[in-house]
Amino acid sequence: MLLGREFKRNLRGLIIWSIIMAGIILLYLSIYPEFAKQQEGLDDMMSTLPDAMKKAFGMDRLNLSSLLGFYGIEIHLMTTLLGSIFASLSASNIVVKEQHEKTIEFLLSRPITRSQIITQKLGAVVINILLFNVVIVAASLLGFQFSKDNDVELSTFFLLESAVLLMHLTFASVSFLFSTILRRNRSVVSLSLGLVFITYFFSIISGVSDHFTWFKYMSPFKYAEAAAIITDRYFDPLYIAIMAVVIVCCALSAYWYYSRKDITV
């Protein structure tokens, strides 16, 4: 079964990325109790930072002395940025590699349609991302136990993580579409990673400059912004709709294009 084969081929990468992410989360949360003891010093340190920087990273709305605020400032960046890189890498080469490795003729000779190929490869990507996000949630919940004053509101935390998951799926869907359209593995990976970093840059710019606030609509990083979700306990339905539309449109476009693609080795 193609789905099982793809899952096994990507299992090593999933394990490595999961271990790294879990390690980062646990490391940061393990030092939170020491941060909390130095609340006055943290407040002084925050006051010395430029307003633009605090606004860009949500430090104007979140507090390092609270566990969820600390998570939103210090850890959320890792789960979104590194997680998006993982999602993009997982999806970017899963289709195009068949041509790159010259296995596409063998695959198409099997009793399997192109739609089934896309479905099972897309399914493997989704499963990888879901498992990766399960690791993020599990490591976070475990790390919260390092704090004696565990004041995390779990409903807000899960709302934040649902935004992170949807964001990862958004980047994965775009990278998956690239993988069906382009013919060179390096081109797909470069374009996918470039998209992640450019949209991250857009989120920073939209937070720093009042003249470029509209950039936030071009960046999934802004959709899953920790400061807004944690402070307001609210995930904007507009952002949910935009990411859902991108995911569905990219998936449907991948089906449409691949079924008509002239595949040559």
Side-chain angles (χ1 to χ4, degrees), residues 23 41 51-52 61 77 82 90 99 101 121 125 129 140 153 156 166 169 172 192 194 208 219 229 243 250-251 259:
D51 291 338
R61 303 177 65 183
L77 172 62
L82 294 182
S90 297
Q99 286 179 266
E101 298 174 359
K121 284 181 175 289
V125 171
I129 294 173
S140 300
E153 187 175 331
T156 303
L166 197 54
L169 290 173
S192 299
V208 171
S219 176
I229 295 175
M243 288 192 283
C250 286
S259 65

Side-chain angles (χ1 to χ4, degrees), residues 214-231:
W214 55 274
F215 270 22
K216 67 182 180 181
Y217 296 110
M218 302 170 64
S219 176
F221 288 96
K222 206 65 177 177
Y223 303 166
E225 185 180 43
I229 295 175
I230 293 174
T231 304

Side-chain angles (χ1 to χ4, degrees), residues 20-41:
I20 292 172
M21 182 57 66
I24 290 173
I25 292 172
L26 292 173
L27 175 63
Y28 271 82
L29 288 176
S30 68
I31 64 176
Y32 167 74
E34 293 301 319
F35 271 81
K37 292 177 182 178
Q38 304 172 22
Q39 182 174 353
E40 185 175 341

Side-chain angles (χ1 to χ4, degrees), residues 227-263:
I229 295 175
I230 293 174
T231 304
D232 301 332
R233 298 177 177 83
Y234 178 74
F235 186 14
D236 195 330
L238 174 62
Y239 296 157
I240 298 175
I242 292 174
M243 288 192 283
V245 167
V246 170
I247 292 169
V248 172
C249 287
C250 286
L252 293 177
S253 297
Y255 275 100
W256 180 85
Y257 185 85
Y258 197 74
S259 65
R260 292 162 174 78
K261 185 177 181 179
D262 180 21
I263 299 176

Side-chain angles (χ1 to χ4, degrees), residues 46 48-60 204 207-208:
M46 293 284 285
T48 63
L49 296 175
D51 291 338
M53 181 178 178
K54 288 190 286 186
K55 186 178 180 182
F57 292 97
M59 291 183 283
D60 59 329
I204 298 298
V208 171

Side-chain angles (χ1 to χ4, degrees), residues 34 98 134 167 198 231:
E34 293 301 319
E98 300 293 351
V134 167
M167 176 186 170
I198 288 172
T231 304

